[in-house]
Amino acid sequence: HHHNAPPLTKQLHAALEASAEGKAYDKYALFAQSVKEKPITCLRDLLDIKSDRKPISIDEVEPASEILKTFCSGAMSLGALSREAHETIAIAMNRIGGKSNSGEGGEDPLRFEPITDVDEEGKSPSFPHLSGLRNGDLASSAVKQVASGRFGVTAGYLANGQQLEIKMAQGA
């Protein structure tokens, strides 16, 4: 048994799909119950956290828009992920205000500018392999990874990063 077993993933996907229709609660409740009932697979499953502190007022909690800015996706090189997956992750992270990581190898310069040719069906001639696009979407990863001797690292690539991640050493 894996911590994120396929049946759990399918239940989570069903809840996310139902959220678009405003019917996510029941699907998410099923997912949450399944998580509680799953076999123990990691140390966290053995924890039973109890606190004698009063809950924090919702007024003291950061708004979701600020919390989302702290989200970062893992670095995964183009090639390790398909072009579609790489660009979809970047667009999603840009939409929520988070940061995606390019991984090694650079990015297509087409990704550095907002997408402006999206039709009413969410398709773009510039990115014909993607669906659900919106005009203004950005497929550029915020974090640009650089490793010694790697292809794809150009001045334009570096200039279009909000943050650079430099690998100092790595082994095969």
Side-chain angles (χ1 to χ4, degrees):
H1 179 80
H2 294 281
H3 183 68
N4 293 318
L8 282 177
T9 303
K10 288 178 182 177
Q11 288 177 337
L12 181 57
H13 284 193
L16 292 170
E17 289 169 3
S19 70
E21 302 163 10
K23 302 175 184 174
Y25 182 79
D26 290 341
K27 300 275 186 183
Y28 182 78
L30 179 63
F31 165 74
Q33 188 63 34
S34 296
V35 169
K36 288 180 187 174
E37 295 172 352
K38 72 176 182 57
I40 294 170
T41 54
C42 61
L43 290 175
R44 178 178 51 212
D45 295 337
L46 298 172
L47 296 176
D48 186 15
I49 299 173
K50 296 179 181 175
S51 175
D52 58 354
R53 295 189 292 180
K54 288 177 36 181
I56 297 170
S57 166
I58 194 70
D59 297 330
E60 296 181 44
V61 176
E62 281 187 283
S65 59
E66 291 302 309
I67 294 170
L68 291 173
K69 290 178 186 176
T70 68
F71 285 19
C72 294
S73 68
M76 197 56 104
S77 302
L78 183 61
L81 286 181
S82 68
R83 178 180 176 187
E84 294 84 354
H86 213 266
E87 292 170 358
T88 298
I89 291 169
I91 290 168
M93 294 304 285
N94 287 327
R95 282 184 184 176
I96 68 168
K99 290 184 172 81
S100 63
N101 189 318
S102 67
E104 301 170 10
E107 290 179 330
D108 184 335
L110 182 63
R111 294 176 60 176
F112 301 155
E113 298 296 325
I115 303 169
T116 58
D117 59 354
V118 180
D119 65 22
E120 58 280 346
E121 295 175 5
K123 298 293 280 177
S124 160
S126 301
F127 294 84
H129 49 283
L130 299 179
S131 300
L133 295 170
R134 303 176 194 155
N135 277 312
D137 275 340
L138 185 61
S140 182
S141 293
V143 181
K144 307 295 190 203
Q145 192 178 88
V146 182
S148 59
R150 294 295 179 177
F151 57 90
V153 178
T154 65
Y157 169 76
L158 297 173
N160 280 282
Q162 296 174 24
Q163 180 178 323
L164 297 180
E165 182 178 278
I166 302 171
K167 283 187 159 182
M168 299 304 288
Q170 78 183 49

